[in-house]
Amino acid sequence: AVLPSRHRLAPPPPTAQAPSPPAAEAAPPSLTSKQRTSLRSLAQRKLSAGTLTSVALGAGGASDGFLEDLRLALRDHEVVKLRMGAAVEKKSEAKALAKELAGDMLRHPEGAVHVVQVVGHTALLYLDKTDMKTKKVVV
């Protein structure tokens, strides 16, 4: 049944909408456990052969020069060992620093940087290149 007009619900009054926050960049898809295993295996083989590139972070922290060296190492080798020795005191700090370097500080123009694993004060980083022509490591 249709209600008389005085019993009908009035439309809600227009409200001022708060401006929506800017859209955050989409996070790169994380690595699967199989991909992590494959990358750890590759890093171990490279370490045994003496070809795994290692970059050390000094006690002074991540300077612009350090970040540039890390970007170049990732671009050239795709899998890089990051040694954080004196820069961190605890493993939890090492994990946080590795994630920060991979996320915010290393916006690499060629692809997404992933933390494969952190053991002690050492992290294994992987650059997942988007250009298949220049990609050396396929996981």
Side-chain angles (χ1 to χ4, degrees):
V2 177
L3 296 174
S5 62
R6 67 175 192 243
H7 293 289
R8 289 189 191 147
L9 295 175
T15 59
Q17 293 181 355
S20 61
E25 289 183 27
S30 61
L31 298 172
T32 65
S33 62
K34 278 189 170 189
Q35 290 172 323
R36 287 182 190 284
T37 301
S38 174
L39 288 166
R40 284 194 302 262
S41 174
L42 173 68
Q44 187 60 44
R45 287 192 310 267
K46 284 184 161 213
L47 181 65
S48 296
T51 59
L52 181 62
T53 301
S54 181
V55 179
L57 177 62
S63 66
D64 290 338
F66 166 79
L67 292 175
E68 187 59 30
D69 288 346
L70 189 53
R71 281 187 189 98
L72 291 174
L74 283 166
R75 184 195 69 198
D76 293 342
H77 303 284
E78 295 179 27
V79 177
V80 175
K81 180 192 279 189
L82 172 63
R83 295 179 181 259
M84 297 174 271
V88 295
E89 293 180 15
K90 297 181 180 178
K91 183 177 177 175
S92 59
E93 293 175 7
K95 281 185 176 182
L97 180 59
K99 284 183 181 180
E100 183 179 346
L101 285 172
D104 297 335
M105 294 179 161
L106 286 177
R107 297 198 186 279
H108 207 286
E110 294 186 30
V113 178
H114 298 278
V115 178
V116 177
Q117 78 175 12
V118 178
V119 177
H121 294 148
T122 304
L124 185 64
L125 301 179
Y126 166 64
L127 172 63
D128 188 9
K129 289 187 176 180
T130 54
D131 183 10
M132 293 304 285
K133 292 179 183 175
T134 61
K135 193 171 195 165
K136 297 175 186 173
V137 177
V138 178
V139 290

